Every structure is written in C-alpha cells, then in structure tokens.
Amino acid sequence: MSKKTEHKECECGSKDRITEYDSDTQEGYEFCDVCSSYLRVQIINIPKHGMFPIGWIPEYKKAHFKTGYVLKIWQKGGNGFMTSAIEKSKLKSAIEELKKDDRVKRFAITFKDGKGNYQTQIYK
Ligand SMILES: [Zn+2]
C-alpha cells in the first residue's frame, strides 16, 4: 500500500482540499470542506476472501458530487471535528437534531450566499 494524503488547491479557491490517493490500486478520495466537492474512486470487484482469479482486472466506480453545503460537527470531549457534505433538503432536519443532541458541542454549516461568497454559520 502506498497511500498518500495531501492538501491540494480546490476549484473554489480553498487550499485545503483533502486528497488521498493510493498509487498501487489507483483508488482515491477527495473532499473540500468549503464548497463540498466530493470525489471517490473505488474498485468494486475485489473478490471475496481475497482470491484473485488469473487475469483479474480492477473495475472502478467513480462518485462525484457537490451538494453545496458542508456540515462540521464538534463533539463534546473530542479533538477536532467531523466534516461531510449534506444535501439542502436534509439541512433543516439535521440542524434540529444536532441542536437537541447532547453529545454535540458545536456545529457549523458552510455554504455559498447569494453574492457568491462562502459563509459559515455556527450553531450552539
Ligand atoms: Zn472547494
């Protein structure tokens, strides 16, 4: 395994796009916690029990999306935060639930406002 994790510049201008790439398998993951751009390349045909038949060729699946909303959650007693992209339609119920959740110390939502600037709203 030769996995490499680095921070790259994103198309939105953020210099903090997380990228993970495995040069052996060519699998990769990218996420920007400003604009929510997400990319994942995975091999979907790895044989069960690791028995690779002769002539096996990896089959890749690529997922790429951008919901426009990034959710960050800080939990009580924890270090750092969890970050993920969230869909607009799920935003309202997620905010309600996170407000009620005792384990959550703080959470924030980053999105683009009407003028095209990224805004972060912090809750709790
Ligand atoms: Zn970005």
Side-chain angles (χ1 to χ4, degrees):
M1 288 285 262
S2 47
K3 224 176 205 176
K4 207 173 157 190
T5 304
E6 46 184 9
H7 292 252
K8 274 200 219 161
E9 187 164 352
C10 180
E11 59 196 18
C12 73
S14 166
K15 303 239 186 298
D16 228 12
R17 183 182 177 95
I18 298 157
T19 71
E20 255 180 39
Y21 180 70
D22 190 316
S23 56
D24 291 341
T25 64
Q26 324 228 316
E27 286 185 296
Y29 164 83
E30 292 187 15
F31 183 63
C32 172
D33 67 3
V34 176
C35 71
S36 82
S37 163
Y38 171 96
L39 172 74
R40 173 157 231 147
V41 179
Q42 275 177 294
I43 297 172
I44 52 166
N45 65 337
I46 289 179
K48 280 177 190 157
H49 317 298
M51 302 279 283
F52 288 84
I54 292 163
W56 179 83
I57 299 167
E59 215 176 286
Y60 292 97
K61 190 179 135 197
K62 194 171 171 181
H64 192 192
F65 64 83
K66 193 169 169 179
T67 64
Y69 293 84
V70 172
L71 177 64
K72 282 183 193 166
I73 302 170
W74 288 261
Q75 286 201 308
K76 281 179 185 156
N79 296 318
F81 54 84
M82 293 182 293
T83 179
S84 60
I86 184 164
E87 280 169 52
K88 195 181 180 183
S89 59
K90 292 179 185 152
L91 209 54
K92 214 173 160 186
S93 59
I95 290 171
E96 291 309 313
E97 276 178 38
L98 286 163
K99 277 182 178 168
K100 282 186 267 175
D101 194 329
D102 290 337
R103 293 164 303 175
V104 174
K105 187 166 71 180
R106 194 155 42 104
F107 64 99
I109 290 158
T110 302
F111 58 95
K112 216 175 199 178
D113 68 13
K115 289 175 186 159
N117 300 310
Y118 287 100
Q119 300 281 346
T120 297
Q121 251 168 40
I122 297 167
Y123 296 82
K124 279 203 181 181

XYZ file of all heavy atoms in Angstrom, residues 14-108:
777
model
N -10.131 27.238 -2.243
C -9.603 26.745 -0.981
C -8.303 25.987 -1.223
O -8.179 25.262 -2.205
C -10.621 25.819 -0.313
O -9.998 25.090 0.721
N -7.348 26.154 -0.315
C -6.070 25.455 -0.471
C -6.057 24.176 0.362
O -5.034 23.555 0.551
C -4.926 26.360 0.007
C -4.877 27.689 -0.707
C -3.551 27.878 -1.420
C -3.385 29.247 -2.027
N -4.364 29.572 -3.066
N -7.210 23.798 0.833
C -7.290 22.742 1.833
C -8.108 21.540 1.378
O -8.689 20.849 2.185
C -7.923 23.335 3.097
C -7.124 22.956 4.316
O -6.000 22.444 4.148
O -7.619 23.167 5.433
N -8.154 21.307 0.088
C -8.883 20.143 -0.408
C -8.100 18.885 -0.024
O -6.948 18.716 -0.411
C -9.016 20.244 -1.924
C -9.817 19.128 -2.551
C -9.846 19.314 -4.061
N -10.553 18.227 -4.704
C -11.852 18.269 -5.038
N -12.537 19.360 -4.807
N -12.427 17.243 -5.597
N -8.728 18.017 0.749
C -8.060 16.795 1.217
C -8.056 15.783 0.080
O -9.101 15.503 -0.514
C -8.792 16.200 2.436
C -8.769 17.194 3.587
C -8.176 14.864 2.843
C -9.878 16.958 4.589
N -6.907 15.241 -0.213
C -6.844 14.196 -1.224
C -6.079 13.005 -0.672
O -5.062 13.142 -0.022
C -6.169 14.662 -2.528
O -4.779 14.830 -2.274
C -6.738 15.953 -3.052
N -6.615 11.845 -0.948
C -5.982 10.593 -0.553
C -5.902 9.765 -1.810
O -6.894 9.579 -2.504
C -6.885 9.868 0.440
C -6.398 9.931 1.855
C -7.360 9.182 2.772
O -7.875 8.118 2.367
O -7.595 9.693 3.861
N -4.729 9.290 -2.087
C -4.568 8.534 -3.322
C -3.653 7.353 -3.076
O -2.610 7.488 -2.444
C -4.006 9.455 -4.414
C -3.791 8.776 -5.731
C -4.875 8.374 -6.501
C -2.506 8.527 -6.194
C -4.677 7.733 -7.709
C -2.303 7.889 -7.406
C -3.394 7.497 -8.159
O -3.199 6.858 -9.355
N -4.061 6.211 -3.549
C -3.241 5.019 -3.427
C -2.671 4.692 -4.798
O -3.401 4.328 -5.718
C -4.099 3.860 -2.908
C -3.243 2.661 -2.543
O -2.325 2.327 -3.319
O -3.503 2.069 -1.496
N -1.364 4.838 -4.936
C -0.775 4.665 -6.267
C -0.711 3.197 -6.688
O -0.524 2.903 -7.863
C 0.612 5.301 -6.321
O 1.427 4.770 -5.318
N -0.868 2.266 -5.766
C -0.904 0.848 -6.135
C -2.248 0.473 -6.749
O -2.318 -0.166 -7.793
C -0.674 -0.045 -4.910
C 0.755 0.059 -4.408
O 1.624 0.511 -5.187
O 0.995 -0.294 -3.243
N -3.306 0.872 -6.067
C -4.640 0.456 -6.514
C -5.326 1.508 -7.385
O -6.335 1.226 -8.019
C -5.553 0.199 -5.303
O -5.735 1.436 -4.613
C -4.959 -0.834 -4.369
N -4.819 2.735 -7.374
C -5.405 3.891 -8.061
C -6.744 4.307 -7.459
O -7.512 5.015 -8.093
C -5.609 3.636 -9.551
C -4.524 2.808 -10.163
C -3.995 3.383 -11.443
O -4.747 3.829 -12.299
N -2.703 3.378 -11.580
N -7.003 3.849 -6.250
C -8.209 4.306 -5.567
C -7.912 5.666 -4.947
O -6.787 5.935 -4.536
C -8.626 3.312 -4.483
C -9.234 2.046 -5.045
C -9.739 1.125 -3.962
O -8.920 0.639 -3.168
O -10.954 0.900 -3.927
N -8.948 6.474 -4.851
C -8.709 7.793 -4.308
C -9.947 8.419 -3.703
O -11.074 7.976 -3.928
N -9.690 9.445 -2.920
C -10.757 10.148 -2.235
C -10.374 11.616 -2.172
O -9.217 11.941 -1.901
C -10.900 9.561 -0.823
C -11.693 10.397 0.132
C -13.087 10.324 0.132
C -11.068 11.264 1.022
C -13.826 11.096 1.009
C -11.804 12.037 1.908
C -13.176 11.944 1.901
O -13.905 12.707 2.769
N -11.330 12.491 -2.438
C -11.062 13.928 -2.321
C -12.269 14.601 -1.708
O -13.406 14.235 -2.010
C -10.849 14.563 -3.714
C -9.595 14.100 -4.398
C -9.336 14.863 -5.693
O -9.953 15.915 -5.929
O -8.503 14.377 -6.473
N -12.021 15.552 -0.865
C -13.135 16.306 -0.295
C -12.686 17.716 0.043
O -11.615 17.929 0.590
C -13.678 15.618 0.964
C -14.865 16.317 1.559
C -16.054 16.430 0.847
C -14.796 16.893 2.811
C -17.156 17.088 1.384
C -15.896 17.552 3.368
C -17.067 17.633 2.642
N -13.532 18.677 -0.291
C -13.261 20.071 0.045
C -14.294 20.502 1.080
O -15.500 20.411 0.821
C -13.351 20.955 -1.189
S -13.238 22.704 -0.796
N -13.841 20.952 2.240
C -14.797 21.313 3.284
C -15.237 22.776 3.195
O -15.791 23.326 4.119
C -14.286 20.936 4.681
C -13.088 21.744 5.117
O -12.672 22.642 4.366
O -12.565 21.479 6.206
N -15.002 23.387 2.054
C -15.559 24.722 1.810
C -16.731 24.624 0.817
O -17.853 25.003 1.110
C -14.486 25.706 1.282
C -15.108 27.049 0.937
C -13.390 25.879 2.320
N -16.480 24.037 -0.352
C -17.522 24.010 -1.389
C -18.255 22.669 -1.453
O -19.179 22.523 -2.239
C -16.924 24.355 -2.743
S -15.861 23.069 -3.393
N -17.826 21.685 -0.666
C -18.470 20.370 -0.562
C -18.182 19.442 -1.730
O -18.808 18.397 -1.837
C -19.985 20.478 -0.365
O -20.637 20.687 -1.609
N -17.266 19.798 -2.590
C -16.950 18.935 -3.726
C -16.332 17.624 -3.230
O -15.370 17.613 -2.468
C -15.993 19.681 -4.654
O -15.363 18.794 -5.527
N -16.915 16.521 -3.678
C -16.537 15.198 -3.207
C -16.262 14.286 -4.388
O -17.006 14.295 -5.368
C -17.692 14.642 -2.371
C -17.587 13.193 -1.965
C -17.088 12.846 -0.722
C -18.008 12.177 -2.815
C -17.001 11.514 -0.330
C -17.915 10.842 -2.437
C -17.414 10.523 -1.194
O -17.339 9.212 -0.811
N -15.182 13.539 -4.293
C -14.845 12.616 -5.363
C -14.300 11.335 -4.745
O -13.459 11.380 -3.854
C -13.785 13.238 -6.279
C -13.186 12.331 -7.353
C -14.165 12.083 -8.484
C -11.917 12.940 -7.910
N -14.808 10.217 -5.211
C -14.273 8.945 -4.716
C -14.145 7.962 -5.866
O -15.069 7.776 -6.639
C -15.170 8.385 -3.619
C -14.763 7.003 -3.202
C -15.224 6.662 -1.812
N -14.088 6.170 -1.064
C -13.899 6.350 0.213
N -14.721 7.066 0.906
N -12.864 5.825 0.801
N -12.968 7.349 -5.974
C -12.749 6.316 -6.977
C -12.443 5.031 -6.220
O -11.524 4.981 -5.416
C -11.578 6.675 -7.926
C -11.352 5.577 -8.939
C -11.842 7.994 -8.626
N -13.257 4.019 -6.473
C -13.130 2.760 -5.748
C -13.132 1.586 -6.704
O -13.791 1.622 -7.736
C -14.356 2.552 -4.849
C -14.285 3.212 -3.499
C -15.591 2.967 -2.763
O -16.631 3.467 -3.182
N -15.533 2.214 -1.692
N -12.462 0.527 -6.298
C -12.546 -0.729 -7.045
C -13.759 -1.477 -6.506
O -13.906 -1.656 -5.297
C -11.268 -1.572 -6.856
C -10.065 -0.827 -7.412
C -11.423 -2.937 -7.533
C -8.729 -1.483 -7.104
N -14.644 -1.892 -7.398
C -15.883 -2.511 -6.929
C -15.930 -4.018 -7.146
O -16.893 -4.667 -6.771
C -17.119 -1.859 -7.599
C -16.950 -1.847 -9.116
C -17.343 -0.461 -7.056
C -18.237 -1.529 -9.851
N -14.894 -4.580 -7.725
C -14.963 -6.026 -7.996
C -13.852 -6.812 -7.297
O -13.354 -7.794 -7.831
C -14.947 -6.288 -9.504
C -13.641 -5.873 -10.147
O -12.923 -5.031 -9.603
N -13.319 -6.458 -11.280
N -13.475 -6.375 -6.096
C -12.467 -7.140 -5.344
C -13.107 -8.465 -4.917
O -14.180 -8.467 -4.315
C -11.959 -6.328 -4.133
C -11.082 -5.174 -4.639
C -11.157 -7.230 -3.167
C -10.538 -4.269 -3.582
N -12.471 -9.587 -5.233
C -13.091 -10.873 -4.906
C -13.169 -11.089 -3.395
O -12.301 -10.631 -2.654
C -12.142 -11.902 -5.542
C -11.183 -11.149 -6.358
C -11.184 -9.733 -5.904
N -14.226 -11.761 -2.966
C -14.354 -12.100 -1.552
C -13.224 -13.048 -1.175
O -12.769 -13.828 -1.990
C -15.708 -12.767 -1.294
C -16.809 -11.732 -1.189
C -18.163 -12.400 -1.016
C -19.244 -11.339 -1.164
N -20.525 -11.927 -1.539
N -12.804 -12.993 0.049
C -11.724 -13.826 0.606
C -10.382 -13.562 -0.077
O -9.448 -14.335 0.106
C -12.054 -15.324 0.512
C -13.470 -15.647 0.884
N -13.960 -15.390 2.151
C -14.502 -16.158 0.187
C -15.236 -15.747 2.179
N -15.595 -16.202 1.014
N -10.297 -12.496 -0.853
C -9.020 -12.120 -1.448
C -8.465 -13.107 -2.468
O -7.271 -13.130 -2.715
N -9.310 -13.943 -3.044
C -8.842 -14.902 -4.051
C -8.976 -14.258 -5.429
O -10.070 -14.244 -6.007
C -9.689 -16.184 -4.005
C -9.672 -16.864 -2.655
S -8.179 -17.871 -2.403
C -8.581 -19.289 -3.393
N -7.883 -13.729 -5.909
C -7.926 -13.043 -7.193
C -7.747 -14.046 -8.335
O -6.723 -14.730 -8.403
C -6.824 -11.982 -7.269
C -7.102 -10.788 -6.410
C -6.768 -10.801 -5.061
C -7.707 -9.662 -6.933
C -7.029 -9.699 -4.252
C -7.972 -8.559 -6.139
C -7.637 -8.587 -4.797
N -8.717 -14.158 -9.212
C -8.541 -15.078 -10.336
C -7.478 -14.581 -11.304
O -7.205 -13.379 -11.374
C -9.916 -15.090 -11.009
C -10.658 -13.934 -10.486
C -9.994 -13.451 -9.241
N -6.887 -15.491 -12.028
C -5.862 -15.127 -13.017
C -6.520 -14.216 -14.063
O -7.625 -14.487 -14.525
C -5.261 -16.392 -13.681
C -4.464 -17.157 -12.629
C -4.368 -16.028 -14.873
C -4.166 -18.596 -13.000
N -5.846 -13.155 -14.383
C -6.376 -12.242 -15.387
C -7.375 -11.233 -14.835
O -8.029 -10.523 -15.596
N -7.452 -11.154 -13.523
C -8.385 -10.217 -12.890
C -8.036 -8.768 -13.251
O -6.880 -8.372 -13.219
C -8.343 -10.401 -11.375
C -9.251 -9.480 -10.615
C -10.578 -9.647 -10.389
C -8.898 -8.260 -9.958
N -11.068 -8.615 -9.648
C -10.068 -7.746 -9.375
C -7.700 -7.539 -9.829
C -10.080 -6.551 -8.657
C -7.710 -6.349 -9.116
C -8.895 -5.866 -8.544
N -9.044 -8.013 -13.605
C -8.831 -6.601 -13.934
C -9.726 -5.764 -13.026
O -10.925 -6.056 -12.903
C -9.186 -6.305 -15.421
C -8.297 -7.130 -16.351
C -9.040 -4.827 -15.740
C -8.780 -7.154 -17.791
N -9.150 -4.779 -12.373
C -9.997 -3.978 -11.487
C -11.070 -3.196 -12.240
O -10.848 -2.719 -13.357
C -9.012 -3.019 -10.807
C -7.817 -3.002 -11.677
C -7.757 -4.317 -12.374
N -12.209 -3.109 -11.592
C -13.318 -2.360 -12.172
C -13.543 -1.158 -11.257
O -13.750 -1.320 -10.058
C -14.560 -3.243 -12.152
C -15.487 -3.058 -13.324
C -16.625 -4.058 -13.229
O -16.387 -5.251 -13.489
O -17.727 -3.633 -12.847
N -13.506 0.024 -11.812
C -13.588 1.223 -10.989
C -14.970 1.857 -11.026
O -15.653 1.842 -12.043
C -12.563 2.258 -11.457
C -11.149 1.832 -11.196
C -10.395 1.232 -12.190
C -10.569 2.017 -9.944
C -9.085 0.818 -11.951
C -9.268 1.615 -9.696
C -8.531 1.020 -10.700
O -7.255 0.621 -10.453
N -15.316 2.418 -9.876
C -16.548 3.182 -9.807
C -16.185 4.582 -9.323
O -15.432 4.731 -8.362
C -17.505 2.521 -8.806
C -18.896 3.103 -8.834
C -19.772 2.385 -7.833
C -20.573 3.396 -7.043
N -21.125 2.818 -5.837
N -16.713 5.557 -9.992
C -16.372 6.928 -9.654
C -17.621 7.655 -9.165
O -18.655 7.636 -9.825
C -15.838 7.606 -10.917
C -15.144 8.913 -10.656
C -14.476 9.375 -11.947
C -13.943 10.784 -11.814
N -13.322 11.261 -13.046
N -17.516 8.250 -8.004
C -18.622 9.051 -7.474
C -18.143 10.485 -7.337
O -17.082 10.746 -6.787
C -19.045 8.515 -6.119
N -18.910 11.385 -7.861
C -18.508 12.790 -7.839
C -19.749 13.635 -7.590
O -20.707 13.555 -8.350
C -17.876 13.154 -9.180
C -17.190 14.481 -9.163
N -16.761 15.115 -10.300
C -16.856 15.294 -8.141
C -16.195 16.270 -9.972
N -16.240 16.400 -8.669
N -19.771 14.377 -6.521
C -20.909 15.265 -6.317
C -20.532 16.498 -5.503
O -19.434 16.579 -4.946
C -22.086 14.530 -5.662
C -21.813 14.026 -4.264
C -21.949 14.856 -3.162
C -21.441 12.711 -4.060
C -21.708 14.393 -1.877
C -21.199 12.238 -2.768
C -21.336 13.077 -1.685
N -21.440 17.410 -5.465
C -21.236 18.670 -4.766
C -22.618 19.117 -4.321
O -23.454 19.467 -5.156
C -20.630 19.667 -5.756
C -20.081 20.913 -5.170
C -19.295 21.619 -6.278
C -18.910 23.008 -5.907
N -18.128 23.637 -6.987
N -22.887 19.049 -3.035
C -24.225 19.420 -2.560
C -24.327 20.922 -2.325
O -25.417 21.467 -2.278
C -24.553 18.713 -1.226
O -23.646 19.185 -0.228
C -24.448 17.204 -1.351
N -23.189 21.561 -2.121
C -23.203 22.998 -1.850
C -23.237 23.341 -0.366
O -23.121 24.508 -0.006
N -23.397 22.315 0.487
C -23.463 22.565 1.928
C -22.519 21.621 2.663
O -22.555 20.405 2.440
C -24.886 22.363 2.461
C -25.837 23.401 1.909
C -26.418 23.220 0.669
C -26.104 24.563 2.626
C -27.268 24.182 0.137
C -26.946 25.522 2.117
C -27.526 25.336 0.867
O -28.348 26.286 0.342
N -21.676 22.198 3.509
C -20.733 21.398 4.285
C -21.115 21.481 5.757
O -21.356 22.568 6.288
C -19.285 21.908 4.098
C -18.327 21.203 5.050
C -18.843 21.697 2.659
N -21.169 20.335 6.384
C -21.512 20.266 7.798
C -20.277 19.854 8.586
O -19.602 18.881 8.241
C -22.625 19.233 7.983
C -23.097 18.929 9.396
C -23.731 20.150 10.042
C -24.084 17.773 9.362
N -19.990 20.603 9.664
C -18.892 20.246 10.559
C -19.460 20.071 11.952
O -20.257 20.890 12.402
C -17.838 21.364 10.603
C -16.938 21.382 9.419
C -15.886 22.464 9.572
C -15.200 22.668 8.231
N -14.410 23.889 8.190
N -19.043 19.006 12.609
C -19.564 18.719 13.941
C -18.417 18.531 14.932
O -17.521 17.736 14.702
C -20.439 17.434 13.943
C -21.600 17.584 12.952
C -20.957 17.135 15.343
C -22.365 16.304 12.710
N -18.478 19.276 16.016
C -17.533 19.110 17.118
C -18.259 18.387 18.243
O -19.317 18.858 18.689
C -17.068 20.473 17.646
C -16.136 21.214 16.743
C -14.781 21.274 16.837
C -16.483 22.063 15.633
N -14.268 22.075 15.848
C -15.285 22.575 15.097
C -17.705 22.419 15.029
C -15.253 23.427 14.003
C -17.683 23.270 13.939
C -16.466 23.771 13.422
N -17.718 17.265 18.667
C -18.367 16.539 19.748
C -17.725 16.894 21.083
O -16.550 17.237 21.141
C -18.267 15.036 19.496
C -19.215 14.622 18.387
C -19.549 13.151 18.423
O -18.661 12.323 18.471
N -20.825 12.837 18.404
N -18.533 16.778 22.127
C -18.026 17.062 23.466
C -16.910 16.088 23.822
O -17.035 14.904 23.593
C -19.158 16.953 24.496
C -20.033 18.175 24.499
C -21.166 18.059 25.495
C -22.077 19.277 25.352
N -23.429 19.014 25.819
N -15.838 16.614 24.387
C -14.750 15.761 24.833
C -13.871 15.229 23.712
O -12.929 14.485 23.964
N -14.162 15.600 22.482
C -13.365 15.083 21.366
C -12.394 16.125 20.839
O -12.538 17.316 21.106
N -11.423 15.664 20.114
C -10.493 16.574 19.451
C -10.921 16.714 17.997
O -11.332 15.739 17.389
C -9.072 16.012 19.477
C -8.544 15.890 20.883
O -8.726 16.774 21.706
N -7.905 14.766 21.160
N -10.782 17.878 17.483
C -11.083 18.080 16.072
C -12.564 17.981 15.776
O -13.407 18.046 16.674
N -12.884 17.813 14.510
C -14.289 17.778 14.112
C -14.493 16.816 12.957
O -13.552 16.425 12.278
C -14.774 19.177 13.734
C -13.920 19.852 12.698
C -14.116 19.604 11.348
C -12.914 20.734 13.070
C -13.322 20.219 10.387
C -12.117 21.355 12.115
C -12.321 21.100 10.774
N -15.760 16.439 12.777
C -16.116 15.597 11.633
C -16.682 16.518 10.567
O -17.408 17.457 10.884
C -17.197 14.605 12.038
C -16.717 13.580 13.044
S -18.027 12.398 13.423
C -19.206 13.409 14.270
N -16.395 16.219 9.350
C -16.908 17.068 8.286
C -17.495 16.212 7.162
O -16.987 15.143 6.872
C -15.805 18.028 7.772
O -16.329 18.816 6.733
C -14.580 17.291 7.271
N -18.597 16.687 6.581
C -19.228 15.951 5.494
C -20.068 16.900 4.654
O -20.396 18.001 5.091
C -20.106 14.830 6.054
O -21.111 15.370 6.866
N -20.419 16.428 3.477
C -21.318 17.204 2.632
C -22.745 16.820 2.990
O -23.021 15.679 3.319
C -21.049 16.874 1.164
N -23.626 17.781 2.974
C -25.022 17.490 3.282
C -25.913 18.093 2.202
O -25.606 19.160 1.655
C -25.387 17.990 4.703
C -26.822 17.602 5.060
C -25.157 19.485 4.861
C -27.146 17.701 6.534
N -27.004 17.388 1.903
C -27.913 17.902 0.885
C -28.832 18.966 1.466
O -29.230 18.885 2.628
C -28.750 16.758 0.314
C -27.978 15.961 -0.709
C -28.681 14.690 -1.082
O -29.869 14.772 -1.433
O -28.045 13.636 -0.994
N -29.187 19.920 0.645
C -30.006 21.037 1.089
C -31.324 20.558 1.699
O -31.788 21.079 2.702
C -30.275 21.974 -0.089
C -30.806 23.306 0.349
C -31.097 24.227 -0.816
C -31.621 25.561 -0.275
N -31.990 26.467 -1.360
N -31.910 19.530 1.095
C -33.209 19.040 1.564
C -33.133 18.430 2.967
O -34.142 18.335 3.651
C -33.741 17.998 0.582
O -32.832 16.922 0.477
N -31.938 18.026 3.383
C -31.792 17.394 4.700
C -31.281 18.370 5.748
O -31.142 18.015 6.921
C -30.825 16.221 4.604
C -31.389 15.084 3.795
C -30.397 13.944 3.682
C -30.956 12.876 2.751
N -29.901 12.124 2.084
N -31.005 19.576 5.334
C -30.370 20.558 6.206
C -31.220 20.912 7.423
O -30.750 20.894 8.555
C -30.090 21.806 5.374
C -28.922 22.672 5.771
C -27.643 21.869 5.862
C -28.737 23.786 4.739
N -32.488 21.194 7.168
C -33.365 21.663 8.229
C -33.513 20.627 9.345
O -33.375 20.943 10.528
C -34.743 21.993 7.642
C -35.397 23.149 8.332
C -36.666 23.540 7.606
C -37.574 24.334 8.528
N -38.870 24.602 7.893
N -33.766 19.382 8.974
C -33.938 18.348 9.994
C -32.619 18.041 10.688
O -32.591 17.761 11.888
C -34.543 17.088 9.386
O -33.729 16.596 8.360
N -31.507 18.125 9.961
C -30.201 17.884 10.578
C -29.913 18.951 11.633
O -29.433 18.638 12.726
C -29.104 17.875 9.515
N -30.226 20.196 11.341
C -29.990 21.282 12.300
C -30.820 21.055 13.568
O -30.312 21.159 14.678
C -30.305 22.659 11.661
C -29.257 22.993 10.604
C -30.368 23.759 12.717
C -29.561 24.221 9.755
N -32.087 20.686 13.387
C -32.957 20.436 14.544
C -32.396 19.313 15.414
O -32.347 19.422 16.631
C -34.377 20.071 14.072
C -35.132 21.228 13.443
C -35.133 22.493 14.296
O -35.407 22.381 15.507
O -34.821 23.579 13.761
N -31.978 18.239 14.771
C -31.477 17.088 15.525
C -30.158 17.381 16.221
O -29.946 16.979 17.360
C -31.323 15.874 14.608
C -32.642 15.136 14.468
C -32.552 13.949 13.541
O -31.516 13.263 13.573
O -33.514 13.726 12.795
N -29.286 18.091 15.545
C -27.987 18.407 16.145
C -28.130 19.350 17.328
O -27.392 19.256 18.297
C -27.056 19.007 15.095
C -26.502 17.995 14.091
C -25.938 18.700 12.869
C -25.434 17.123 14.730
N -29.114 20.237 17.264
C -29.361 21.161 18.386
C -29.784 20.391 19.628
O -29.468 20.776 20.745
C -30.449 22.160 18.005
C -29.930 23.343 17.204
C -31.071 24.300 16.932
C -30.604 25.523 16.170
N -31.755 26.309 15.671
N -30.531 19.296 19.404
C -31.034 18.510 20.533
C -30.012 17.500 21.057
O -30.166 16.975 22.145
C -32.304 17.749 20.097
C -33.534 18.643 20.061
C -34.780 17.828 19.760
C -35.074 17.816 18.283
N -36.167 16.975 17.862
N -28.996 17.205 20.257
C -28.044 16.150 20.592
C -27.060 16.628 21.674
O -26.292 17.559 21.457
C -27.278 15.746 19.325
C -26.534 14.442 19.495
O -26.101 14.144 20.629
O -26.393 13.727 18.498
N -27.088 15.955 22.826
C -26.238 16.347 23.954
C -24.752 16.106 23.719
O -23.912 16.704 24.369
C -26.637 15.565 25.219
C -27.984 16.016 25.741
O -28.378 17.158 25.420
O -28.633 15.232 26.455
N -24.436 15.195 22.827
C -23.023 14.881 22.578
C -22.356 15.929 21.701
O -21.135 15.988 21.592
C -22.909 13.511 21.888
C -23.322 12.356 22.767
C -23.564 11.136 21.924
N -24.592 11.415 20.903
C -24.958 10.570 19.960
N -24.371 9.403 19.860
N -25.898 10.887 19.097
N -23.162 16.745 21.054
C -22.618 17.739 20.125
C -22.338 19.045 20.858
O -23.210 19.618 21.497
C -23.592 17.978 18.947
C -23.115 19.105 18.058
C -23.771 16.702 18.150
N -21.101 19.466 20.781
C -20.701 20.712 21.433
C -21.049 21.906 20.546
O -21.543 22.918 20.999
C -19.183 20.646 21.672
C -18.632 21.792 22.487
C -17.223 21.483 22.978
C -16.241 21.525 21.817
N -14.856 21.235 22.248
N -20.804 21.737 19.264
C -20.938 22.842 18.328
C -21.027 22.269 16.918
O -20.454 21.220 16.647
C -19.666 23.685 18.437
C -19.700 25.031 17.817
C -18.672 25.954 18.503
N -17.395 25.335 18.785
C -16.272 25.535 18.084
N -16.263 26.338 17.059
N -15.143 24.953 18.421
N -21.726 22.950 16.037
C -21.678 22.537 14.639
C -21.770 23.756 13.732
O -22.186 24.828 14.161
C -22.741 21.479 14.311
C -24.175 21.940 14.446
C -24.889 22.335 13.324
C -24.811 21.940 15.673
C -26.207 22.742 13.424
C -26.137 22.349 15.788
C -26.834 22.752 14.663
N -21.345 23.578 12.510
C -21.288 24.704 11.581
C -21.679 24.251 10.183
O -21.450 23.109 9.807
C -19.875 25.283 11.560
